Amino acid sequence: MAQSKGTVVLAYSGGLDTSCILVWLKEQGYDVIAYLANIGQKEDFEAARKKALALGAKKVYIEDVSREFVEHFIWPAVQANALYEDRYLLGTALARPCIARRLVEVAQREGAQHVAHGATGKGNDQVRFELSCYALCPKIKVVAPWRLPEFYQRFPGRRELMDYAKKHGIPVPVTPQTPWSMDENLMHISYEAGILENPKVIDHGSHGAGGVSCIRSLIGNFTAGRPCVPVKVTNTGDGATRSSALELFVYLNDIAGKHGVGRIDIVENRFVGMKSRGIYETPAGTILYHAHLDIEAFTMDREVRKIKQGLSLKFSELVYNGFWHSPECEFLRECIGRSQEPVEGTVRLSVFKGHVYILGRESPRSLYNEELVSMNVQGDYEPADATGFININSLRLKEYHRLQSKVTVKQDE
């Protein structure tokens, strides 16, 4: 029997890795408390509790943090128009600091000096979990089995891990025939590893839950309040309305998922320095990204928006890299939140065969002046003024090309 090493709170999912890690931690002498966060994944949580206890967990915490995840993590990302490397809506990256925050709270409540996770030594999640834990509880000690030689040399691959599970009577949902890794939460479902590690392999969506292209379209209204967060979605087809944060997000996931909205196949740059291939399904997040982008352009000053776009890029990088609880990310959230004060209104949109179409918008804070921009009404604008405007802006161009002409002539002589 290994010497007691104290109590560790394990971020537990019930899958292959964390189930084996739970048993392995007990072998090393830890008392294990399993922590499972409900962030919208389809899971039999009671079965997961019984499984963890059967594997030797001293205690099991299962907390529903879905609403917190939407309101405190997804909404700031929507406000930011957060998009990593122009494509990824950060579904996993947003979930990790949410889970880590509760993981640390449980550790403090239980007097545990250690927390543990099942993230690999090659990925981003190890960074995201641990930076959040250290920020929130500097004295915490993290046990990361996939970075310990005694663990990864014993389990160099999934096959060895599955043999270990079989030996210890650990039931796992993964089989050698379907060895990809799946991560699911309210924001998205991601698939990676296994056959998907070959970027040439064409993914046909045989494992996906949301990639279904429908023939019928949905036309709906998205309404944002001040500061800009979604407050209501209305399906103009059947009149259905959803108003609470969690309820409307789940509804959009269902509708957009049926239309195959938000499905991408990308190769991205991990923070640790390598490229990886992933398949992502982000239905509701994709609708809200387009809707918010539209109402923001409608209501926000041009120069403010330029600055905000730079902040959004930095925010996305910080979230992806695990710095949600950093002072710079807190500062950015404050700045982005301030920029959203004039952003409110309703966007009318439709989803059809994997696409989101913006159909129209209205807002009491609109900067759009129909009379001013009209081709039929002069409005409070003097067209002749544009001559001086063009002349002033052309001065720099004229001087640049005048100089270039002189240089070219001298070179030809």
Side-chain angles (χ1 to χ4, degrees):
M1 187 73 178
Q3 184 178 358
S4 177
K5 294 181 180 178
T7 300
V8 59
V9 181
L10 170 66
Y12 176 76
S13 70
L16 175 64
D17 289 31
T18 55
S19 294
C20 291
I21 285 172
L22 193 161
V23 176
W24 184 84
L25 287 170
K26 283 185 60 63
E27 286 183 348
Q28 308 310 303
Y30 291 100
D31 290 326
V32 182
I33 294 175
Y35 175 78
L36 176 55
N38 176 1
I39 48 175
Q41 70 271 37
K42 295 178 179 64
E43 178 80 54
D44 185 338
F45 292 101
E46 188 54 37
R49 180 194 303 276
K50 292 178 180 178
K51 179 180 178 180
L53 291 171
L55 295 177
K58 177 182 176 183
K59 189 181 294 187
V60 179
Y61 280 86
I62 297 177
E63 294 184 331
D64 187 344
V65 295
S66 299
R67 181 176 176 181
E68 177 183 335
F69 181 42
V70 173
E71 294 180 348
H72 296 172
F73 294 87
I74 295 177
W75 277 182
V78 170
Q79 288 183 332
N81 301 322
L83 201 63
Y84 180 70
E85 295 188 336
D86 304 315
R87 301 180 72 187
Y88 175 42
L89 286 165
L90 300 167
T92 301
L94 290 167
R96 297 308 181 233
C98 178
I99 296 170
R101 184 159 74 179
R102 291 304 189 101
L103 189 71
V104 166
E105 289 176 1
V106 170
Q108 292 173 324
R109 192 183 314 160
E110 292 289 337
Q113 293 182 314
H114 305 83
V115 293
H117 60 76
T120 71
K122 290 185 177 181
N124 297 305
D125 280 347
Q126 57 178 339
V127 183
R128 295 164 180 161
F129 271 124
E130 295 182 37
L131 290 182
S132 291
C133 288
Y134 289 137
L136 297 170
C137 185
K139 294 182 179 180
I140 203 75
K141 297 177 182 178
V142 178
V143 181
W146 281 114
R147 295 206 308 271
L148 299 175
E150 60 268 32
F151 187 88
Y152 65 72
Q153 289 175 3
R154 183 177 177 183
F155 306 109
R158 286 292 189 268
R159 171 66 66 179
E160 290 78 12
L161 208 59
M162 293 178 73
D163 289 342
Y164 180 82
K166 184 177 180 180
K167 178 182 177 181
H168 289 82
I170 303 171
V172 291
V174 180
T175 69
Q177 289 74 38
T178 56
W180 50 69
S181 172
M182 185 184 87
D183 179 71
E184 180 184 11
N185 59 51
L186 274 170
M187 185 65 165
H188 84 170
I189 304 175
S190 67
Y191 306 92
E192 60 182 4
I195 60 172
L196 300 179
E197 288 177 351
N198 182 346
K200 295 188 296 183
V201 170
I202 298 175
D203 169 60
H204 294 289
S206 58
H207 51 267
V212 180
S213 293
C214 290
I215 297 175
R216 295 185 300 106
S217 67
L218 162 80
I219 298 177
N221 293 325
F222 159 81
T223 304
R226 297 175 59 194
C228 188
V229 296
V231 295
K232 183 170 68 173
V233 61
T234 302
N235 186 332
T236 56
D238 60 13
T241 296
R242 302 291 187 275
S243 299
S244 72
L246 182 58
E247 187 182 36
L248 74 84
F249 200 85
V250 170
Y251 181 70
L252 287 177
N253 262 337
D254 179 56
I255 294 295
K258 290 177 180 177
H259 286 264
V261 169
R263 185 180 179 85
I264 60 172
D265 183 331
I266 66 172
V267 173
E268 69 202 61
N269 288 294
R270 287 180 180 170
F271 188 30
V272 295
M274 64 185 76
K275 292 184 183 291
S276 66
R277 190 263 189 104
I279 314 294
Y280 300 106
E281 296 177 3
T282 318
T286 300
I287 283 184
L288 293 176
Y289 172 83
H290 289 288
H292 178 264
L293 197 64
D294 188 81
I295 200 68
E296 186 176 79
F298 194 48
T299 57
M300 186 178 285
D301 175 78
R302 180 186 71 180
E303 298 304 313
V304 172
R305 190 161 183 263
K306 286 181 182 178
I307 295 172
K308 195 259 182 176
Q309 285 175 308
L311 297 181
S312 297
L313 179 62
K314 185 62 179 177
F315 174 82
S316 301
E317 292 177 351
L318 288 173
V319 173
Y320 184 87
N321 293 340
F323 288 92
W324 179 274
H325 292 291
S326 67
E328 62 269 31
C329 195
E330 290 178 0
F331 173 74
L332 281 180
R333 290 199 296 276
E334 286 292 325
C335 291
I336 291 170
R338 172 67 176 81
S339 77
Q340 298 300 291
E341 290 183 3
V343 183
E344 65 169 314
T346 299
V347 179
R348 186 175 175 86
L349 55 85
S350 69
V351 293
F352 183 60
K353 291 190 174 182
H355 296 281
V356 178
Y357 299 95
I358 302 297
L359 306 177
R361 77 289 297 157
E362 60 180 329
S363 170
R365 302 294 297 271
S366 168
L367 291 176
Y368 181 88
N369 186 328
E370 186 175 353
E371 183 179 274
L372 183 63
V373 79
S374 173
M375 296 295 183
N376 300 315
V377 180
Q378 184 168 315
D380 189 19
Y381 180 79
E382 184 57 58
D385 291 343
T387 302
F389 177 78
I390 293 169
N391 287 339
I392 291 296
N393 277 280
S394 70
L395 181 61
R396 177 176 59 90
L397 305 181
K398 291 176 181 178
E399 288 302 296
Y400 172 78
H401 287 285
R402 179 182 63 81
L403 177 60
Q404 289 299 104
S405 297
K406 284 184 178 181
V407 172
T408 302
V409 170
K410 285 184 179 181
Q411 288 176 343
D412 292 341
E413 291 177 350

